[in-house]
Amino acid sequence: MSRATGTWGEAQVATYLRKKGYQLLAHSYHCRFGEIDLIAQKGKTLCFVEVKTRTNLQYGLPREYVTATKQEKLRKTAAFYLSQHELDCPVRFDVAEVYTDEQRNGASVKIEYLENAF
């Protein structure tokens, strides 16, 4: 999958979250520990969202690519974000699976959103 496809998938999830009442706080947040695709807030809960976009399931479900190593990097990155922004609030880690065809046809998009994925 190309970086362009990944960025496209993240934009699809951002739109999905806004429609669900989330406030988007950051997109592609980077620090020395890693990257978080989307950071959103719903109510008092801060959500760190890992987005996985796929055009087929040849190599398994997208969520299976959020390995224990990736989860640890996400936790460290989230802790840094919280510290940097002096936040003390409930958090959760979500995974958004974006399914589409090779042409990224908007009509063929399906999003599976997993709250508290890990």
Side-chain angles (χ1 to χ4, degrees), residues 1-14 27-28 35 37-38 50-55 96 98 100 104:
M1 180 188 68
S2 70
R3 179 67 190 139
T5 300
T7 300
W8 178 85
E10 291 167 12
Q12 298 301 306
V13 174
H27 181 259
S28 297
E35 178 197 1
D37 294 328
L38 298 171
E50 177 68 11
V51 178
K52 295 294 184 188
T53 304
R54 296 293 182 268
T55 56
V98 181
T100 188
R104 296 184 300 221

Side-chain angles (χ1 to χ4, degrees), residues 17 20 27 31 37 43 49 64 69 93 103 108:
L17 290 174
K20 296 286 185 182
H27 181 259
C31 72
D37 294 328
V49 184
E64 295 171 338
T69 301
F93 294 88
Q103 292 75 37
S108 69

Side-chain angles (χ1 to χ4, degrees), residues 36-70:
I36 296 178
D37 294 328
L38 298 171
I39 301 174
Q41 186 171 8
K42 184 150 189 189
K44 295 181 180 183
T45 302
L46 201 60
C47 307
F48 297 99
V49 184
E50 177 68 11
V51 178
K52 295 294 184 188
T53 304
R54 296 293 182 268
T55 56
N56 65 60
L57 297 176
Q58 181 177 353
Y59 299 107
L61 293 172
R63 69 188 80 165
E64 295 171 338
Y65 286 84
V66 186
T67 63
T69 301
K70 178 67 174 176

Side-chain angles (χ1 to χ4, degrees), residues 95-115:
V95 173
E97 298 177 327
V98 181
Y99 299 95
T100 188
D101 57 20
E102 292 288 336
Q103 292 75 37
R104 296 184 300 221
N105 180 347
S108 69
V109 174
K110 178 185 174 213
I111 296 174
E112 187 75 31
Y113 194 80
L114 308 166
E115 292 182 4

Side-chain angles (χ1 to χ4, degrees), residues 61-107:
L61 293 172
R63 69 188 80 165
E64 295 171 338
Y65 286 84
V66 186
T67 63
T69 301
K70 178 67 174 176
Q71 291 174 22
E72 185 58 30
K73 285 182 83 172
L74 290 167
R75 284 186 187 99
K76 286 180 181 178
T77 305
F80 187 81
Y81 179 88
L82 292 168
S83 173
Q84 186 180 43
H85 291 86
E86 299 180 0
L87 295 172
D88 183 19
C89 60
V91 302
R92 70 172 196 241
F93 294 88
D94 301 345
V95 173
E97 298 177 327
V98 181
Y99 299 95
T100 188
D101 57 20
E102 292 288 336
Q103 292 75 37
R104 296 184 300 221
N105 180 347

